[in-house]
Amino acid sequence: MRLIATDLDGTLLDSASAVSPRTRAALDAARDRGIHVVPVTARQPIGLRAIAADAAFDDWALCSNGAYAVHLAEGRMLFAEELPAATIRTLAEALRASIPGLLFASVREGGETFVAQQGYAEIADLSDHKRDPKTMGGVPLDQVLSAPSLKFVIRHPELAPAALFDTLRSLGLTGFEATLSGAPFVEVMAEGVTKATGLARLCAHLGIDRADVVAFGDALNDVEMLRWAGRGVAMADAAPVVQDAADETTVSNDEDGVARVIERLLG
């Protein structure tokens, strides 16, 4: 084991979005042995900074479901894969023709800029993007669709994300990658971008073979990463498709499932 890749919400963090003492101790023990600990998350750096001290994250991180790699201590970017504006516009127009009332947001500039459509902030919570909705503002849809995006967000005031996701897949459009993370919206990245592709690029940079990677996750956006890693570990309450993608299943995030596996692998 040379690298631990872990999802955050529903996986490493408990239900209060905190890092438990046992989990912190396990991460520290791994780092003491020279093992990289890499958060691989749908969050942006702003969402990582909220827990970085508790988890002692100061190395590489993968944000936007693998679209963006950044060194947290140095602020150095390794790569950023953006969804083209033309693709975003085509996608939004096709969806709006099928589902009235959709709202959109665009994550840009290394995750530091959040461009939300008018009305989006009114249905958002702090936990959605780890941003105060009061800071989101609101612009006409054309401005949301006018520039490339690390992650394009699709949501509806009433419809569940799974229903939006199914409709999106039924349209037969190409040129992007869509997924669900457990958040109340659909997340769209550049074509081919997943947590697995981002992790593969980071491991190539670090000279680490996939066989030496242990990955943890609980949601649909973790499936490719769990399949790619030498050992994929799903959480106990993960959906069947996530557990099927993993080599093993641990106990829940509230029972320190990640820590228990790390402790066992460290001996």
Side-chain angles (χ1 to χ4, degrees):
M1 180 170 61
R2 296 186 59 201
L3 187 145
I4 295 168
T6 180
D7 173 57
L8 298 180
D9 301 285
T11 300
L12 185 78
L13 306 180
D14 62 23
S15 294
S17 295
V19 180
S20 75
R22 183 174 182 177
T23 294
R24 171 61 188 269
L27 298 180
D28 286 344
R31 283 184 286 247
D32 287 345
R33 296 202 190 181
I35 298 167
H36 293 273
V37 176
V38 179
V40 186
T41 177
R43 293 186 184 210
Q44 308 310 316
I46 188 174
L48 281 173
R49 288 194 286 269
I51 63 163
D54 291 341
F57 289 146
D58 60 2
D59 199 346
W60 289 103
L62 289 166
C63 300
S64 283
N65 294 314
Y68 182 65
V70 61
H71 195 286
L72 295 173
E74 301 171 3
R76 178 162 48 99
M77 180 190 75
L78 182 62
F79 59 80
E81 294 284 348
E82 293 185 317
L83 186 67
T87 304
I88 293 172
R89 185 173 295 277
T90 298
L91 171 61
E93 290 175 352
L95 272 174
R96 292 178 73 221
S98 299
I99 306 175
L102 288 171
L103 292 167
F104 303 92
S106 175
V107 178
R108 304 174 186 168
E109 299 173 346
E112 299 301 326
T113 300
F114 190 87
V115 182
Q117 183 182 355
Q118 291 167 339
Y120 188 98
E122 283 71 22
I123 65 169
D125 292 324
L126 175 64
S127 60
D128 294 347
H129 301 282
K130 313 306 179 284
R131 299 173 186 267
D132 185 345
K134 294 178 182 177
T135 69
M136 291 180 181
V139 300
L141 177 59
D142 190 62
Q143 291 186 35
V144 180
L145 308 179
S146 65
S149 177
L150 280 174
K151 186 169 74 172
F152 185 56
V153 178
I154 306 164
R155 73 187 299 170
H156 193 277
E158 299 172 357
L159 296 178
L164 305 182
F165 185 68
D166 289 343
T167 299
L168 175 57
R169 291 196 297 178
S170 73
L171 295 176
L173 299 174
T174 59
F176 60 88
E177 195 77 32
T179 193
L180 299 172
S181 68
F185 42 77
V186 176
E187 304 174 36
V188 184
M189 287 69 59
E191 185 172 15
V193 169
T194 67
K195 288 187 176 185
T197 63
L199 186 55
R201 290 185 67 174
L202 177 60
C203 285
H205 173 74
L206 296 173
I208 294 175
D209 190 91
R210 62 190 290 183
D212 298 323
V213 175
V214 178
F216 298 87
D218 75 304
L220 183 64
N221 64 333
D222 297 312
V223 166
E224 294 87 358
M225 177 175 70
L226 297 182
R227 289 176 177 157
W228 182 86
R231 175 165 290 277
V233 184
M235 309 308 290
D237 50 0
V241 66
V242 182
Q243 295 193 27
D244 289 344
D247 297 292
E248 66 173 283
T249 298
T250 185
V251 296
S252 75
N253 57 322
D254 285 324
E255 298 173 281
D256 295 306
V258 172
R260 292 178 189 233
V261 174
I262 293 173
E263 291 164 359
R264 188 186 77 233
L265 294 176
L266 291 178

